[in-house]
Amino acid sequence: MLKHVVLLLMGIILIFTWMNGARASPIPITNASFESQSLNDGQYISSITGWIGWSGGPGGGGSYGVFNPKTAHFPSQAPEGYNTAYSNGGDFYQWLKDPVSGQNITLQPGLYTLTVKVGDRLDVITPFPGYVVRFQASYNNNHVILAEDYSSLTPANGSFITSTVTFNATPNNSSIGQPLVIALANLGGVQVNFDDVQLDYNPVHTPEPSTIILMGCGLIGLLGVVIKQSRKKSDNS
C-alpha cells in the first residue's frame, strides 16, 4: 500500500515539475523601447531604428516613427525611457535576431508571451482608432500570424494599456524552425503610440487542457485502484 502511494505522489510531483520547472527567459528585441534615437520633448522623427515599414498592413498606410511626448500628450509621458513609437496609419515590424550572431531567431516548441504598451494621446480628441499587436513566423517573407491582439483593449485618453499576446508552440507546429517577427499596427490613421515591447519564452511546452484533463483522470483512476487494493487487504486481515 505504502509503495503504491509513494509512486503515485512521485508521479504527481514529476508532472507538475515538468509543467512548471523551466523559467521564461527574454528574447532580445532591437530598440524595444524606441530609445535609439535621441529626441527633445515634443520632437518626433519619421523612422524607427531596427524596425521596418509594413505596406499593406491593417492600418492601410500612413506615417510612423519615434516621438518624445510631453505631459500634454501623456501626463506620465513614456512608460519606458523617454520615447514612444507612433503610428498615423503606418505599420511596422521587426525580424527577431540574435544580437551576437545576427542570425534569425526561430520558433521553437514552448510558450511565448509578447507584451506591448499601447497608448492614446491626451490631446487627440477623436476616438481611439484601435491597434494590432502580432506575433508571426515567416516563410520566404510571407508572414504567418501565430497569435495577435486585435484591439481587445482601449486605453483611457492620455494613458497606456498593456497588450498581451501568448502563443503555445507545440512540437508538431508547421512553423517550427521559421524566423520570428513582431508587428505593430494602427487600425484607423489617428495616432496610436507603442512602447516597451517585450517577448518572453518558456521552453517547456504547456499541455493542452484536454491533455491535462486526461492526465488528471489517469491519476484519479490510479488513486482509486490503490484505495481499492488497500481496502481488500484490510478486509482480508
Side-chain angles (χ1 to χ4, degrees), residues 187-201:
L187 288 176
V190 178
Q191 189 166 121
V192 174
N193 294 80
F194 301 96
D195 200 8
D196 194 18
V197 183
Q198 298 184 34
L199 179 63
D200 288 333
Y201 168 63

Side-chain angles (χ1 to χ4, degrees), residues 8-211:
L8 178 63
L9 290 174
M10 287 178 64
I12 294 173
I13 291 170
L14 285 172
I15 288 172
F16 280 94
T17 300
W18 171 66
M19 290 172 58
N20 301 291
R23 293 181 178 273
S25 57
I27 290 179
I29 299 172
T30 301
N31 197 17
S33 294
F34 310 104
E35 301 298 316
S36 292
Q37 293 140 297
S38 180
L39 303 175
N40 297 323
D41 282 354
Q43 186 181 4
Y44 70 92
I45 187 170
S46 299
S47 64
I48 309 176
T49 300
W51 297 79
I52 304 167
W54 177 15
S55 60
S63 63
Y64 66 89
V66 178
F67 174 53
N68 183 339
K70 296 182 178 180
T71 55
H73 307 122
F74 292 99
S76 298
Q77 296 180 284
E80 177 68 23
Y82 299 98
N83 298 337
T84 71
Y86 74 86
S87 169
N88 293 328
D91 309 324
F92 46 94
Y93 66 94
Q94 178 179 149
W95 298 78
L96 300 183
K97 295 182 179 294
D98 183 280
V100 177
S101 67
Q103 297 297 311
N104 290 325
I105 297 174
T106 59
L107 183 70
Q108 301 300 319
L111 181 65
Y112 292 83
T113 303
L114 171 64
T115 59
V116 182
K117 299 291 194 309
V118 182
D120 181 26
R121 282 176 55 158
L122 182 64
D123 59 325
V124 176
I125 60 174
T126 53
F128 182 69
Y131 65 92
V132 178
V133 173
R134 284 182 175 171
F135 181 60
Q136 305 179 146
S138 181
Y139 296 89
N140 298 320
N141 292 328
N142 293 318
H143 295 170
V144 175
I145 300 171
L146 301 174
E148 69 177 354
D149 175 9
Y150 200 88
S151 202
S152 66
L153 303 170
T154 301
N157 195 229
S159 69
F160 283 82
I161 51 93
T162 300
S163 168
T164 301
V165 176
T166 59
F167 182 69
N168 192 20
T170 59
N172 61 348
N173 188 284
S174 60
S175 293
I176 294 294
Q178 298 300 321
L180 292 177
V181 176
I182 292 173
L184 306 177
N186 172 344
L187 288 176
V190 178
Q191 189 166 121
V192 174
N193 294 80
F194 301 96
D195 200 8
D196 194 18
V197 183
Q198 298 184 34
L199 179 63
D200 288 333
Y201 168 63
N202 189 329
V204 174
H205 165 61
T206 304
E208 300 296 332
S210 58
T211 304

Side-chain angles (χ1 to χ4, degrees), residues 8 15 18-19 207-223:
L8 178 63
I15 288 172
W18 171 66
M19 290 172 58
E208 300 296 332
S210 58
T211 304
I212 296 174
I213 292 171
L214 286 173
M215 287 192 299
C217 291
L219 289 173
I220 292 171
L222 179 58
L223 180 60

